[in-house]
Amino acid sequence: LKHVDGIAARHGIAIRSSNVVQSKPVGELGEISIQISYEAGIAAVRGLLHEIETGRPIVIIDDLNMRTIASAS
Protein backbone atom coordinates (compact mmCIF):
# COMPACT_ATOMS: atom_id res chain seq x y z
CA LEU A 1 0.00 0.00 0.00
CA LYS A 2 2.90 2.37 0.72
CA HIS A 3 4.18 1.57 -2.78
CA VAL A 4 0.96 2.82 -4.41
CA ASP A 5 0.73 5.81 -2.04
CA GLY A 6 4.26 6.85 -3.07
CA ILE A 7 3.46 6.59 -6.77
CA ALA A 8 0.28 8.62 -6.25
CA ALA A 9 2.25 11.35 -4.49
CA ARG A 10 4.71 11.54 -7.41
CA HIS A 11 1.79 12.17 -9.76
CA GLY A 12 0.21 14.85 -7.56
CA ILE A 13 -2.72 12.68 -6.53
CA ALA A 14 -4.39 13.55 -3.24
CA ILE A 15 -5.16 10.28 -1.43
CA ARG A 16 -8.22 10.66 0.78
CA SER A 17 -8.08 7.15 2.21
CA SER A 18 -6.51 3.77 1.45
CA ASN A 19 -6.71 0.35 3.04
CA VAL A 20 -6.01 -3.31 2.39
CA VAL A 21 -9.29 -5.15 1.88
CA GLN A 22 -7.86 -8.65 1.48
CA SER A 23 -4.44 -10.29 1.25
CA LYS A 24 -3.71 -13.92 0.40
CA PRO A 25 -0.88 -16.00 -1.06
CA VAL A 26 -1.34 -17.29 -4.61
CA GLY A 27 1.39 -19.78 -5.48
CA GLU A 28 4.76 -18.01 -5.25
CA LEU A 29 3.04 -14.64 -5.58
CA GLY A 30 0.53 -12.81 -3.45
CA GLU A 31 -2.82 -11.24 -4.17
CA ILE A 32 -3.75 -8.03 -2.41
CA SER A 33 -7.04 -6.22 -2.78
CA ILE A 34 -6.84 -2.55 -1.91
CA GLN A 35 -9.35 0.28 -1.88
CA ILE A 36 -8.16 3.81 -2.54
CA SER A 37 -10.19 7.00 -2.50
CA TYR A 38 -8.44 9.89 -4.22
CA GLU A 39 -8.95 13.13 -6.07
CA ALA A 40 -7.06 13.63 -9.32
CA GLY A 41 -7.28 14.64 -12.95
CA ILE A 42 -7.27 12.08 -15.74
CA ALA A 43 -3.63 12.74 -16.72
CA ALA A 44 -2.49 12.02 -13.15
CA VAL A 45 -4.56 8.81 -13.03
CA ARG A 46 -3.10 7.71 -16.37
CA GLY A 47 0.42 8.30 -15.02
CA LEU A 48 -0.38 6.44 -11.79
CA LEU A 49 -1.74 3.38 -13.60
CA HIS A 50 1.16 3.31 -16.07
CA GLU A 51 3.79 3.49 -13.33
CA ILE A 52 2.03 0.82 -11.23
CA GLU A 53 1.86 -1.65 -14.12
CA THR A 54 5.34 -1.05 -15.58
CA GLY A 55 7.36 -0.57 -12.38
CA ARG A 56 8.81 -2.82 -9.72
CA PRO A 57 7.64 -4.69 -7.76
CA ILE A 58 5.38 -6.23 -10.40
CA VAL A 59 1.77 -5.20 -9.79
CA ILE A 60 -1.09 -6.23 -12.05
CA ILE A 61 -4.36 -4.33 -11.86
CA ASP A 62 -7.08 -6.96 -12.21
CA ASP A 63 -10.17 -4.85 -11.50
CA LEU A 64 -10.63 -1.09 -11.41
CA ASN A 65 -13.69 1.00 -10.57
CA MET A 66 -13.64 4.77 -10.93
CA ARG A 67 -16.27 7.43 -10.32
CA THR A 68 -16.37 11.08 -11.15
CA ILE A 69 -17.58 13.65 -8.69
CA ALA A 70 -20.00 16.24 -9.97
CA SER A 71 -18.38 19.65 -9.77
CA ALA A 72 -20.24 22.49 -8.10
CA SER A 73 -21.61 25.05 -10.55
Side-chain angles (χ1 to χ4, degrees):
L1 195 52
K2 287 182 183 181
H3 174 68
V4 175
D5 288 348
I7 294 171
R10 283 195 294 279
H11 289 277
I13 296 175
I15 300 284
R16 291 184 173 174
S17 66
S18 60
N19 60 37
V20 175
V21 177
Q22 181 181 3
S23 178
K24 64 181 179 181
V26 179
E28 293 181 18
L29 305 175
E31 180 177 297
I32 301 170
S33 298
I34 61 173
Q35 184 175 31
I36 301 172
S37 177
Y38 61 87
E39 188 172 325
I42 193 68
V45 173
R46 183 180 63 236
L48 170 78
L49 295 175
H50 180 266
E51 189 171 340
I52 287 173
E53 290 211 321
T54 60
R56 296 273 191 235
I58 296 172
V59 176
I60 298 169
I61 298 172
D62 184 42
D63 187 20
L64 175 68
N65 295 298
M66 295 184 0
R67 290 186 287 186
T68 59
I69 340 175
S71 53
S73 306

